[in-house]
Amino acid sequence: MSESRVHNQFKLTSEDHVEAVGEEVTLPCHLSPDTSAVAMTIRWFKRTECIYLYKNGQVTERSGYEGRVSLITQELERGNVSLRLIDFRRSDRGVYICQVIHGEQKEEAAVGLRVRRVSVWGQQSGSWYLQHETQEDKLKREASAGELELKMEKELKEILREKMMKQLKEKLDDMTQEVREKERLLDDMTQEVREKERLLEEKNQIMEQREKLLEEKDNQLEEKDKQLKERDIQLEALRKNLQDKNSQVENFRVLLQEKDLQLEDRNHRLGEKDRLLEERQTTKGK
């Protein structure tokens, strides 16, 4: 069994090597004691090349391994950081290194992936590789991991950019919809104003017609006043004539008084009718 070089709060355990059978193989690696790896950074290397990066819940895979390598995410809580490799190819054989980072602690374990019916000569084991790895290879691994982390940052930025663009588009769509709704309300209000203007115009026409009728009524009343004045003049002439005929006036005094009363009553009724007509016209005007 291959173990990590250093252990402090936890260590990594793995098999010295595994054999690929079929198109899928799992490269075992576990935290000991069982510790949740959900919040840790997990890197998987094939020799000096970082092929898989798990960090802050995000995953990035190197070109050529995209869609082929994955962690068993439901097992991370139990410290299982094994790498599942599908669509196995003969070129996949070799040494794989699992690196787990948590805070200041960094642990590594290696496992050799072999192929059946192929001589083990030249197929290195994980423990042998870690013991003989050069400082140059270690630096290459760190540089490769840095490239993958940079790729992850770019992917995260792209995801964030797409998310922001989506939010902006949704906001723009909402604003466009709001503008359209306001335009629709404005159209409705404009239509309502036009309808009120039309009704107002109709009322103005009605008022003009009523004013015209009132003017006609006033003319009629003036004509009647004129007629009454003429009658008054005639009556005055009659009185003068009657004064000259005192004897006749005395005889017809009673009759004349009755005529005067009837005339006054008639004038009263005429005035009353005029008043009622004026009141009706005024009421219609309101």
Side-chain angles (χ1 to χ4, degrees):
M1 177 177 289
S2 172
E3 293 190 354
S4 60
R5 294 171 175 166
V6 182
H7 59 84
N8 185 10
Q9 298 176 354
F10 63 87
K11 64 181 180 179
L12 293 179
T13 61
S14 180
E15 300 295 331
D16 202 34
H17 65 272
V18 293
E19 288 187 351
V21 180
E23 295 184 352
E24 181 177 329
V25 62
T26 298
L27 305 175
C29 190
H30 297 79
L31 273 68
S32 178
D34 290 349
T35 305
S36 174
V38 173
M40 299 181 181
T41 298
I42 303 168
R43 299 169 173 173
W44 271 94
F45 300 85
K46 184 183 180 187
R47 296 180 67 87
T48 60
E49 186 177 50
C50 187
I51 63 172
Y52 184 91
L53 172 64
Y54 170 91
K55 185 176 182 180
N56 298 324
Q58 302 295 325
V59 171
T60 300
E61 304 153 354
R62 185 169 292 276
S63 177
Y65 293 89
E66 293 171 341
R68 297 180 59 224
V69 289
S70 62
L71 297 177
I72 308 172
T73 53
Q74 62 269 28
E75 294 288 329
L76 289 177
E77 284 283 354
R78 292 189 284 273
N80 185 354
V81 292
S82 301
L83 185 71
R84 180 180 293 164
L85 174 65
I86 63 174
D87 188 20
F88 176 75
R89 307 163 188 173
R90 291 180 67 86
S91 59
D92 289 332
R93 64 181 179 172
V95 175
Y96 290 81
I97 302 166
C98 176
Q99 185 184 84
V100 178
I101 303 173
H102 185 58
E104 298 296 325
Q105 186 177 1
K106 179 190 293 185
E107 300 296 325
E108 294 178 341
V111 55
L113 177 57
R114 297 179 178 178
V115 181
R116 283 186 178 183
R117 296 187 298 277
V118 175
S119 172
V120 297
W121 182 257
Q123 298 193 86
Q124 298 171 341
S125 67
S127 58
W128 186 92
Y129 182 85
L130 285 180
Q131 291 171 6
H132 295 84
E133 185 181 31
T134 64
Q135 186 64 29
E136 182 180 358
D137 286 343
K138 294 177 186 177
L139 293 176
K140 287 181 179 179
R141 280 203 290 120
E142 289 302 316
S144 179
E147 291 175 359
L148 209 58
E149 288 200 4
L150 182 60
K151 180 183 177 184
M152 174 179 280
E153 290 179 3
K154 289 181 178 179
E155 290 174 348
L156 289 175
K157 287 180 180 179
E158 181 62 22
I159 291 172
L160 181 60
R161 188 188 71 83
E162 291 178 355
K163 184 178 180 181
M164 290 178 65
M165 290 297 293
K166 183 179 179 181
Q167 291 176 346
L168 287 173
K169 184 178 181 301
E170 290 176 351
K171 187 175 181 180
L172 181 61
D173 290 342
D174 291 341
M175 291 176 67
T176 302
Q177 184 65 28
E178 184 178 355
V179 169
R180 288 176 180 173
E181 181 65 20
K182 287 184 178 180
E183 287 177 347
R184 187 188 65 79
L185 291 174
L186 182 60
D187 290 340
D188 292 343
M189 292 175 68
T190 302
Q191 186 65 27
E192 184 178 356
V193 169
R194 288 175 180 173
E195 180 64 19
K196 288 183 177 180
E197 288 177 346
R198 186 186 65 80
L199 293 174
L200 182 60
E201 182 66 22
E202 290 180 355
K203 289 183 178 180
N204 288 336
Q205 292 177 358
I206 293 173
M207 288 295 295
E208 289 177 358
Q209 292 175 356
R210 289 180 178 176
E211 288 177 355
K212 185 176 180 181
L213 289 174
L214 286 174
E215 187 177 355
E216 291 177 355
K217 293 296 180 183
D218 288 340
N219 291 334
Q220 292 175 1
L221 289 174
E222 288 179 359
E223 183 65 24
K224 288 182 178 181
D225 288 340
K226 183 178 179 181
Q227 293 174 359
L228 289 174
K229 288 179 180 180
E230 290 176 352
R231 289 182 182 181
D232 289 340
I233 293 172
Q234 293 174 359
L235 288 174
E236 185 64 24
L238 288 173
R239 287 194 193 95
K240 289 180 178 180
N241 194 23
L242 289 173
Q243 287 176 358
D244 295 337
K245 298 179 179 182
N246 288 328
S247 60
Q248 294 178 4
V249 169
E250 191 64 28
N251 295 330
F252 291 96
R253 187 183 299 259
V254 175
L255 182 61
L256 182 61
Q257 288 177 352
E258 290 177 357
K259 294 291 183 180
D260 289 337
L261 289 175
Q262 290 176 2
L263 181 60
E264 288 178 1
D265 181 64
R266 183 177 179 183
N267 289 336
H268 177 74
R269 287 197 304 270
L270 181 60
E272 186 67 19
K273 287 181 180 180
D274 290 339
R275 185 184 63 80
L276 290 175
L277 178 60
E278 184 178 359
E279 289 179 352
R280 288 178 184 177
Q281 295 299 328
T282 303
T283 303
K284 288 182 180 181
K286 293 181 179 180

